[in-house]
Amino acid sequence: GAGVSQSPSNKVTEKGKDVELRCDPISGHTALYWYRQSLGQGLEFLIYFQGNSAPDKSGLPSDRFSAERTGGSVSTLTIQRTQQEDSAVYLCASSLEVAGGRNEQFFGPGTRLTVL
Amino acid sequence: QKEVEQNSGPLSVPEGAIASLNCTYSDRGSQSFFWYRQYSGKSPELIMSIYSNGDKEDGRFTAQLNKASQYVSLLIRDSQPSDSATYLCAVNRGRDDKIIFGKGTRLHILP
């Protein structure tokens, strides 16, 4: 079946503009994560949607960042008033929720965001 | 103490040798452990999952888990230049199953 998809693959925007990044998880996957990865750096956790539970937003770096997940499927990450330090690759991953944590994550191809 | 720790490397290994990658974690409630490979400019790709103490082999890869010592390792036998990548260790957090990633170890296989 289809893997995790993300759009757009590349986004160039001007400082101060808002951007929306989209993630389509694997069908049936109830857990969804957003990460940010700057060049040469590790994965930075942003937000975690777990089924019907309240999302874990503990990784969002500022109130300019928000995310929602509609209908338990597609997710949108919104960055308001973008700054140059927001430039990075934004990765989405999804997984089944399996008892005991056997929730293997599968990643999308990412969205490369460049803020000029 | 970081939840998941890895040596950042780079780890340089001659072609054909065994590459050994290590990871330690802090949560004794963790039950699931994963290794991901990430090539430069690409997304992480799951290569191994391990849930029980001991060894799990898949082709040239062997994952080893020791819950008592809170470490998990990945061995790559007969290393190939194509194994050069960053290897990420990931562990589920016991209280909510959230997956926590280490910062990754850069592996360089020398031809």
Side-chain angles (χ1 to χ4, degrees):
Chain A
V4 178
S5 61
Q6 292 186 245
S7 62
S9 55
N10 279 284
K11 177 71 176 178
V12 180
T13 190
E14 293 179 348
K15 178 182 174 181
K17 301 278 190 180
D18 298 352
V19 295
E20 284 191 353
L21 312 179
R22 176 186 169 105
C23 173
D24 281 271
I26 293 172
S27 178
H29 280 193
T30 52
L32 187 148
Y33 291 76
W34 282 98
Y35 299 93
R36 178 169 71 174
Q37 190 170 38
S38 300
L39 189 64
Q41 302 300 307
L43 294 175
E44 177 187 4
F45 164 75
L46 296 177
I47 188 167
Y48 166 37
F49 294 92
Q50 183 186 34
N52 295 321
S53 302
D56 176 349
K57 303 179 181 180
S58 61
L60 295 178
S62 77
D63 59 7
R64 296 186 295 105
F65 289 72
S66 63
E68 63 177 21
R69 189 175 185 192
T70 54
S73 181
V74 171
S75 178
T76 303
L77 176 69
T78 301
I79 309 173
Q80 296 179 310
R81 305 181 303 282
T82 52
Q83 304 294 311
Q84 289 182 330
E85 61 262 29
D86 299 334
S87 297
V89 175
Y90 289 80
L91 291 163
C92 174
S94 72
S95 70
L96 290 170
E97 290 180 87
V98 181
R102 300 190 178 195
N103 37 357
E104 298 174 340
Q105 283 189 29
F106 297 90
F107 283 80
T111 293
R112 182 175 299 278
L113 175 65
T114 303
V115 182
L116 301 177
Chain B
Q1 182 184 10
K2 293 181 181 176
E3 292 181 274
V4 180
E5 293 203 63
Q6 297 180 255
N7 187 317
S8 62
L11 175 65
S12 295
V13 174
E15 183 176 357
I18 296 174
S20 178
L21 303 161
N22 300 313
C23 171
T24 59
Y25 60 95
S26 61
D27 184 357
R28 287 199 172 273
S30 296
Q31 300 181 58
S32 301
F33 308 87
F34 310 95
W35 283 100
Y36 287 79
R37 177 177 62 199
Q38 186 176 26
Y39 292 116
S40 180
K42 300 294 185 181
S43 298
E45 170 193 14
L46 179 67
I47 55 172
M48 290 286 286
S49 306
I50 187 166
Y51 308 111
S52 304
N53 276 329
D55 295 359
K56 179 181 177 183
E57 186 174 320
D58 183 0
R60 296 187 296 111
F61 298 96
T62 298
Q64 300 176 315
L65 175 60
N66 184 324
K67 290 184 179 180
S69 299
Q70 293 176 247
Y71 85 78
V72 58
S73 62
L74 179 70
L75 302 179
I76 306 174
R77 289 181 300 281
D78 187 25
S79 297
Q80 303 296 310
S82 59
D83 295 326
S84 297
T86 296
Y87 289 80
L88 301 167
C89 173
V91 176
N92 86 304
R93 193 165 63 184
R95 69 174 184 270
D96 59 1
D97 283 339
K98 179 180 175 180
I99 301 298
I100 308 296
F101 278 85
K103 294 297 185 185
T105 298
R106 285 185 293 136
L107 175 65
H108 182 46
I109 305 301
L110 304 170

